[in-house]
Amino acid sequence: MLMAGCRSQGLMPCDLLFHVAPTSNQITDVTPGMIDHVAICISSDSVIEAIGRGVVTTPLDSLLRRDDGSYIRGRVRGVSRRRTLANARRYLGRDYDYLYLPDNDAIYCSELVQFSFVDRRGRPLFSPIPMSFHDASGRITDYWTQFYESRGLSVPEGQPGTNPGELSQRKQVKLNRQRINP
């Protein structure tokens, strides 16, 4: 059932809330646009998201007040709301994927969306894309090189994954550029 909190913002369950960063950061330096986070509206007053504490539900007003920048809505076409919300809830309690790797049990924000969203036949709506840790010149940024080196890993450039900026540009997502208010 669509309830007051989402409705007052023009939101529906399964709408995506994309965080638009006010300035560039490590995510926006290597992905399209200024979008660095995504959450899924799940009820009248809450979202499900993957953040530092893991996959959690967050009050909508807390999400909207938490960060600098703003949020915009993405409405996903062809989604099975019931199945998608059930899928997303199955990930509650999972650890956050600080390494952004495709082959572990932890989950980052856009990966939660990719794994949760299905169409009315139960087919995934969002296929993975090659991960990007490089800037516009094609060079992997110093931040990501040092980040992975300090963990004894190679940068997973080109491995299957997702990012919130690219998700916002998918054909299944219709963005409403009007900012969502706290």
Side-chain angles (χ1 to χ4, degrees):
M1 175 170 131
L2 181 62
M3 300 174 214
C6 286
R7 190 174 25 228
S8 70
Q9 296 290 342
L11 298 173
M12 295 175 49
C14 291
D15 277 351
L16 298 174
L17 298 176
F18 292 101
H19 180 253
V20 181
T23 59
S24 66
N25 59 47
Q26 292 82 8
I27 302 288
T28 63
D29 286 346
V30 298
T31 60
M34 291 299 291
I35 295 173
D36 63 359
H37 182 64
V38 61
I40 304 166
C41 184
I42 59 169
S43 74
S44 65
D45 58 359
S46 63
V47 298
I48 187 170
E49 62 179 334
I51 56 174
R53 296 175 295 153
V55 180
V56 298
T57 57
T58 302
L60 180 61
D61 61 345
S62 294
L63 174 81
L64 298 176
R65 288 189 173 99
R66 178 173 57 215
D67 299 311
D68 288 343
S70 58
Y71 282 84
I72 57 175
R73 180 194 78 208
R75 177 127 326 133
V76 181
R77 296 180 186 109
V79 65
S80 168
R81 286 182 183 27
R82 182 185 56 77
R83 287 180 180 175
T84 293
L85 293 177
N87 289 344
R89 286 184 175 107
R90 277 194 282 255
Y91 293 106
L92 284 169
R94 282 274 182 100
D95 290 336
Y96 184 75
D97 188 356
Y98 288 99
L99 299 176
Y100 310 100
L101 297 174
D103 56 356
N104 60 22
D105 288 332
I107 295 181
Y108 55 93
C109 68
S110 55
E111 195 174 40
L112 175 65
V113 172
Q114 179 195 348
F115 291 168
S116 298
F117 275 71
V118 294
D119 67 14
R120 290 174 182 92
R121 293 184 178 155
R123 297 176 302 202
L125 278 173
F126 300 113
S127 58
I129 59 160
M131 294 284 281
S132 167
F133 296 88
H134 62 271
D135 61 19
S137 74
R139 185 182 67 81
I140 295 176
T141 65
D142 291 341
Y143 173 85
W144 291 112
T145 299
Q146 293 166 7
F147 177 88
Y148 284 102
E149 279 179 0
S150 72
R151 290 155 178 83
L153 299 168
S154 298
V155 177
E157 177 76 11
Q159 291 199 24
T162 182
N163 68 69
E166 191 275 335
L167 271 179
S168 74
Q169 297 177 355
R170 296 280 184 117
K171 67 181 181 185
Q172 303 94 323
V173 177
K174 181 176 185 199
L175 287 182
N176 179 337
R177 296 277 179 192
Q178 181 178 352
R179 303 298 192 220
I180 305 293
N181 300 313

